[in-house]
Amino acid sequence: MTVLELEGEGDDWRLHLGGDWSLAAMAQIETELRALPGGLHGRLVCDWSRTEAPGIGPAWALLIRLADIGTPHVDVRHTGDPPHFLELLQKLEAERGVAPAAPEAAPRLEHSVSAVGRWAVLQGAEGRAVIGFFGRLVTVLREVFFRPQALRPSSLARHIYETGITAIPIVSLIAFLISVIVAYLGAQQLGRFGADIFVVDLVTISVLREMGVLLTAIIVAGRSGSAFAAEIGVMQLNEETDALRAMGMNPVELLVVPWLLGLVIALPLLTVIADAMGLAGGGLLSLLNLHIPLTQFISRLRESISPTTFWAGLIKAPVFAVLIAMVGTYRGMQVRESARELGRLTTVAVVQSIFLVILADALFAVLFVQIDF
């Protein structure tokens, strides 16, 4: 049985603790603690000499109650062999009392930690889903390699037309204008040093190594990446992919692989066209603004490029195509339940594909510098 006796000693107080102070007596301890009077002053001595099996829970409840009835007017002391964990509990209780914003800070901290935890769990699930999608795609491509009739040439030709041929006008125009801008700005700066001829080097190397393939990939990501996500997403909403599965067909083989292979074929060809239009734009501005004849431009172009300059840009194109196609089709396959989700995932597909293209281009740049390519 738990006993709490509070007696006065002049201006001081002594609290005798006796009986069972284990967790089993927690209910009775809390009842007797609530019965202690408030508004105490002076010094309060807690005598633990008659307690039996004191536990952390009852000791913590005692400290909280003493803080409520006396702080800051009571100096609490403990005698009579108090439990060894009491000092730790006193430090925790002091920290609890010092923080004035604790009632608000604790929920904010809890919310922040829970938000980080949810984000980590979601990213882990997303990573597993991406790896699973990539695994299914590799499995289907392996089967297609041994069974070429599964390529469906008519579907592949349609995707090459939609992702490649229809994109030629916008890709050509953008490459032409960007190279004109680069040549014009380069002429402004190099002209100060009488090095106008090096504008040819600037345009040639920047277009062939970087801008031709990068601008093409970004344009294709905006056009075809969104188309992949939207078309497959609509099929998901209409349950057409479920119907394909019910008929024993593989949606990855029917929908994803043709998009992927079509883009892998189309994007390098678009890159070659963008390179040609970029060089044409640089040559035209060099002729009109710098009065560099076309023959001199071509001669300088041959001198400025190395054997790897053209291939350094073209090698990136299939990699960018795989990234764009995988992101677009994967996000399309994720569409569920609503048109709002379709719009959101289409936007996510475009943003993520452009980001991955730029990230891959940066990694290629570092790799080519390291291997002197």
Side-chain angles (χ1 to χ4, degrees):
M1 180 178 180
T2 303
V3 177
L4 272 78
E5 297 178 358
L6 181 64
E7 63 180 18
E9 297 179 347
D11 294 334
D12 298 334
W13 301 87
R14 178 174 289 271
L15 180 62
H16 297 281
L17 310 176
D20 184 11
W21 272 74
S22 66
L23 190 61
M26 187 69 183
Q28 183 183 356
I29 293 173
E30 289 181 338
T31 302
E32 296 201 16
L33 287 174
R34 283 194 295 268
L36 292 176
L40 300 180
H41 294 75
R43 184 174 63 174
L44 174 63
V45 178
C46 295
D47 185 3
W48 291 80
S49 58
R50 292 183 291 175
T51 57
E52 299 176 3
I56 293 179
W60 178 253
L62 172 66
L63 294 179
I64 296 299
R65 179 57 181 161
L66 294 179
D68 293 340
I69 65 177
T71 302
H73 305 292
V74 175
D75 179 19
V76 179
R77 305 292 176 86
H78 295 269
T79 62
D81 193 21
H84 62 88
F85 50 77
L86 186 63
E87 183 178 356
L88 174 61
L89 295 181
Q90 286 177 304
K91 292 180 179 179
L92 294 176
E93 195 279 328
E95 292 178 0
R96 184 186 72 92
V98 165
E104 299 179 2
R108 285 201 299 268
L109 178 61
E110 181 181 354
H111 176 74
S112 300
V113 173
S114 62
V116 172
R118 285 194 299 271
W119 180 85
V121 171
L122 290 175
Q123 294 306 309
E126 183 76 11
R128 290 194 297 272
V130 171
I131 294 173
F133 179 77
F134 181 74
R136 292 197 301 271
L137 180 59
V138 171
T139 302
V140 172
L141 287 175
R142 184 186 61 184
E143 295 175 356
V144 167
F145 179 78
F146 293 104
R147 189 165 47 91
Q149 64 271 19
L151 283 176
R152 294 175 175 81
S154 59
S155 178
L156 185 60
R158 180 177 73 87
H159 292 311
I160 293 175
Y161 173 80
E162 292 179 351
T163 59
I165 296 177
T166 59
I168 290 177
I170 184 63
V171 169
S172 301
L173 179 61
I174 294 297
F176 182 87
L177 293 177
I178 292 295
S179 64
V180 167
I181 294 172
V182 171
Y184 184 78
L185 295 178
Q188 291 276 330
Q189 301 300 319
L190 294 174
R192 301 178 181 180
F193 309 99
D196 292 341
I197 191 63
F198 289 105
V199 172
V200 181
D201 300 59
L202 175 64
V203 172
T204 301
I205 295 175
S206 62
V207 168
L208 293 182
R209 290 188 69 96
E210 291 294 335
M211 289 197 308
V213 63
L214 185 59
L215 289 173
T216 302
I218 291 175
I219 293 170
V220 170
R223 292 182 74 256
S224 302
S226 59
F228 296 169
E231 183 173 329
I232 296 178
V234 170
M235 296 183 69
Q236 287 280 97
L237 291 179
N238 294 335
E239 299 181 354
E240 296 177 41
T241 54
D242 295 333
L244 292 175
R245 294 187 183 92
M247 291 186 291
M249 300 180 182
N250 189 346
V252 175
E253 179 182 323
L254 290 174
L255 304 176
V256 178
V257 171
W259 281 114
L260 176 64
L261 296 181
L263 193 56
V264 168
I265 295 172
L267 191 57
L269 301 178
L270 286 174
T271 301
V272 174
I273 295 173
D275 291 344
M277 293 302 298
L279 296 178
L284 180 62
L285 187 118
S286 298
L287 176 64
L288 298 179
N289 192 38
L290 304 177
H291 307 290
I292 298 176
L294 182 59
T295 54
Q296 187 180 3
F297 181 88
I298 295 176
S299 175
R300 184 63 193 174
L301 184 151
R302 292 175 177 173
E303 295 176 3
S304 62
I305 64 175
S306 65
T308 60
T309 302
F310 172 73
W311 295 107
L314 194 62
I315 287 173
K316 303 175 187 177
V319 178
F320 293 169
V322 171
L323 292 175
I324 295 169
M326 280 196 59
V327 172
T329 53
Y330 172 70
R331 292 302 178 186
M333 287 290 189
Q334 281 189 316
V335 175
R336 296 288 187 275
E337 298 177 355
S338 68
R340 181 180 180 182
E341 191 73 359
L342 172 63
R344 185 185 70 84
L345 288 174
T346 300
T347 303
V348 169
V350 175
V351 173
Q352 288 185 344
S353 58
I354 293 176
F355 169 77
L356 290 176
V357 163
I358 296 175
L359 178 61
D361 186 67
L363 296 177
F364 269 116
V366 175
L367 175 63
F368 289 162
V369 170
Q370 294 296 324
I371 65 176
D372 194 21
F373 186 73

